[in-house]
Amino acid sequence: MANYKPLAGVKVIELSFMMAGPSCCRYLADWGADVIKVEKKSGDTFRFYPPTMGMPATQDCNPLYDDLNAGKRCISLDITKPEGMEALHKLLATADVFVTNNRQKALDKNGLDYDTLKEKYPGLIMAQVTSYGRKGPRRNDPGQDTISFWVSSGFNADMMIETDNSYPVFGSNGTGDFITGLGLAYAVVCALYKKKETGLGDYVENSLYGMGLWCTSNYNIGCLPQYKWKMPRRRDTCTPGSAPFKCKDGNWIMCAVVNIEAQWAGFANAIGKPEWAHHEVYGTTKGQSDFKVRAYLMQECESIFASKTAAEWDKIFTDLDLTHDIMAHYGDFVKNEQAFANEYAFDVTYPNGHKTTLIRPSMTSEKMGVPEFVRGPMTGEQTESILAELGYTPEEIREMESSGAAYQISL
């Protein structure tokens, strides 16, 4: 059903930059919302980030930016000028949702805080990404997912294996942003559902720090003083059925024996150790909790796994329907049929001939099908057409462009 778009008719104004706020709006756009991204003339700072990773970043060829901003329109306004702010308010007056990741003090300064907006636009849903939440001593602190999501939650420090030359690991850049944006999109859709009943808007918020705590809550709670869990997980604290092992070809493979009593026998038989399958010590959680037992099993498994290639182990475990995978590296997805079979990954060729592979959000709808990919907008690419939709005359649009209150890119 090509015309089935669950969020068709929903208008979203996005005043955000980098990744968390824009990812929220990407999810909404994929499902049919009309997302209008508001940028200043110099553009979203994320437009200029890709070269740090060796990627192109021109207006007409910016794969990383397009991956995050697909399906949106863009108007370029200078909201420090009265005419620019007036145009923004005209947009908000027609909108269902206002998404921003600007800090609260900036919103307060510009009269874009929720207390002010709800008086003017009672049906408006305001959705805000914060770094550390709306309350507390850090409510106005700046943040990035590398800090607020990963560092502040405990991940970077407690995933480090300490040696003389060790240092904290790095969180995957953007992961916290995308998860936080997804949580915010969920809150937006819930508010839209309630608005159908009441006609009233709402304020919804999600923070990088809050989502960091939520996503690491198993470890964060387990590491409280009254419990026994310790981080980081080292080789000598892993159970062999859920540890990574290096194979004959240098690749690593890992299984997931979550319930030792129920799953250990299958793992033991798969690696050619049937005598371990129902062993009174090796086949029990209590037995494998013993340091000496675990050390023995790990040493034996290291020798066993080194006898075959990762592909050989992969076939054995696949045939026996055991949960496992060969450890992938970033970028390996382009060789994985599964990514393309589900259309998580797809190839793109830009007009200048640049070829790349992009990744789309994996949420699907049987009725909607896979959303069509429409590249992210250039800075101010739809400024004039959006202003015209708001009732501005051609003369008024030219005046705004002359004063610098609005900008339309020349194609």
Side-chain angles (χ1 to χ4, degrees):
M1 298 176 65
N3 295 323
Y4 178 84
K5 299 285 185 180
L7 294 181
V10 173
K11 188 172 183 178
V12 179
I13 305 304
E14 177 193 321
L15 184 67
S16 61
F17 55 94
M18 289 303 289
M19 290 184 270
S23 69
C24 169
C25 294
R26 165 72 198 270
Y27 304 134
L28 300 175
D30 270 4
W31 289 69
D34 177 17
V35 177
I36 298 176
K37 186 177 179 72
V38 180
E39 293 184 60
K40 55 187 177 181
K41 183 178 180 179
S42 57
D44 182 341
T45 49
F46 190 61
R47 289 185 182 273
F48 312 102
Y49 178 79
T52 65
M53 300 179 69
M55 302 181 197
T58 60
Q59 286 284 357
D60 59 352
C61 183
N62 198 336
L64 205 58
Y65 179 85
D66 290 342
D67 204 48
L68 193 57
N69 291 280
K72 304 176 185 179
R73 298 191 287 162
C74 179
I75 182 172
S76 181
L77 299 172
D78 184 349
I79 62 173
T80 66
K81 297 181 182 296
E83 305 95 320
M85 181 62 79
E86 181 183 14
L88 176 59
H89 274 280
K90 287 187 176 182
L91 284 169
L92 293 175
T94 66
D96 298 289
V97 184
F98 174 43
V99 177
T100 184
N101 60 359
N102 280 261
R103 283 195 273 174
Q104 191 61 47
K105 59 183 180 181
L107 296 172
D108 292 342
K109 177 182 177 181
N110 289 294
L112 296 173
D113 57 285
Y114 181 62
D115 287 341
T116 299
L117 293 179
K118 71 179 179 181
E119 296 300 321
K120 296 181 178 180
Y121 319 114
L124 183 67
I125 295 165
M126 180 171 178
Q128 185 179 4
V129 174
T130 64
S131 299
Y132 291 96
R134 300 172 63 192
K135 304 173 184 178
R138 302 199 67 182
R139 63 187 181 277
N140 285 316
D141 283 10
Q144 296 283 349
D145 79 324
T146 51
I147 304 299
S148 309
F149 184 92
W150 292 115
V151 170
S152 302
S153 70
F155 177 89
N156 292 53
D158 280 358
M159 292 300 288
M160 172 178 62
I161 305 294
E162 290 202 50
T163 67
D164 291 341
N165 298 311
S166 64
Y167 54 88
V169 299
F170 291 97
S172 182
N173 191 316
T175 301
D177 289 313
F178 296 154
I179 294 170
T180 303
L182 184 58
L184 188 64
Y186 163 80
V188 166
V189 171
C190 289
L192 284 168
Y193 181 81
K194 191 64 176 176
K195 180 182 173 180
K196 290 179 64 177
E197 175 187 322
T198 65
L200 298 176
D202 194 1
Y203 173 87
V204 296
E205 177 262 349
N206 199 13
S207 74
L208 292 165
Y209 174 57
M211 287 304 284
L213 288 180
W214 171 245
C215 291
T216 59
S217 57
N218 284 358
Y219 288 169
N220 261 305
I221 295 171
C223 288
L224 290 173
Q226 63 267 41
Y227 303 124
K228 297 181 179 179
W229 192 260
K230 300 294 181 184
M231 292 295 289
R233 294 185 69 186
R234 305 184 307 272
R235 295 293 281 179
D236 60 355
T237 63
C238 287
T239 54
S242 296
F245 289 101
K246 195 172 186 178
C247 304
K248 185 177 181 180
D249 57 354
N251 288 310
W252 292 71
I253 197 165
M254 183 172 173
C255 296
V257 177
V258 179
N259 185 327
I260 293 175
E261 277 73 15
Q263 299 171 324
W264 174 253
F267 175 81
N269 286 319
I271 64 173
K273 284 288 187 177
E275 66 272 23
W276 288 0
H278 301 287
H279 194 281
E280 59 184 7
V281 176
Y282 305 159
T284 67
T285 301
K286 182 179 179 180
Q288 289 199 17
S289 297
D290 182 275
F291 178 82
K292 292 182 179 179
V293 170
R294 187 176 293 177
Y296 166 74
L297 293 175
M298 289 292 290
Q299 184 177 17
E300 289 294 301
C301 284
E302 285 176 348
S303 297
I304 292 168
F305 276 89
S307 68
K308 299 182 189 298
T309 66
E312 290 173 322
W313 284 120
D314 179 50
K315 186 177 187 311
I316 290 170
F317 292 136
T318 298
D319 290 345
L320 293 173
D321 198 30
L322 297 178
T323 304
H324 75 286
D325 207 352
I326 298 171
M327 285 195 166
H329 297 279
Y330 288 131
D332 284 354
F333 76 96
V334 296
K335 299 177 287 186
N336 193 327
E337 181 183 353
Q338 196 68 19
F340 291 91
N342 289 281
E343 298 186 72
Y344 302 150
F346 59 102
D347 295 324
V348 174
T349 300
Y350 281 86
N352 66 358
H354 179 78
K355 296 182 178 181
T356 191
T357 304
L358 299 182
I359 301 171
R360 59 166 47 90
S362 56
M363 297 79 77
T364 63
S365 158
E366 182 68 23
K367 290 185 177 180
M368 182 175 68
V370 176
E372 178 188 4
F373 174 75
V374 179
R375 65 159 175 79
M378 301 180 194
T379 307
E381 185 174 355
Q382 291 86 21
T383 294
E384 292 178 353
S385 61
I386 293 171
L387 288 174
E389 290 173 10
L390 295 173
Y392 285 85
T393 66
E395 293 75 18
E396 289 171 328
I397 294 172
R398 284 196 293 271
E399 288 177 7
M400 290 183 67
E401 291 175 335
S402 296
S403 70
Y407 168 73
Q408 167 79 41
I409 192 171
S410 298
L411 302 177

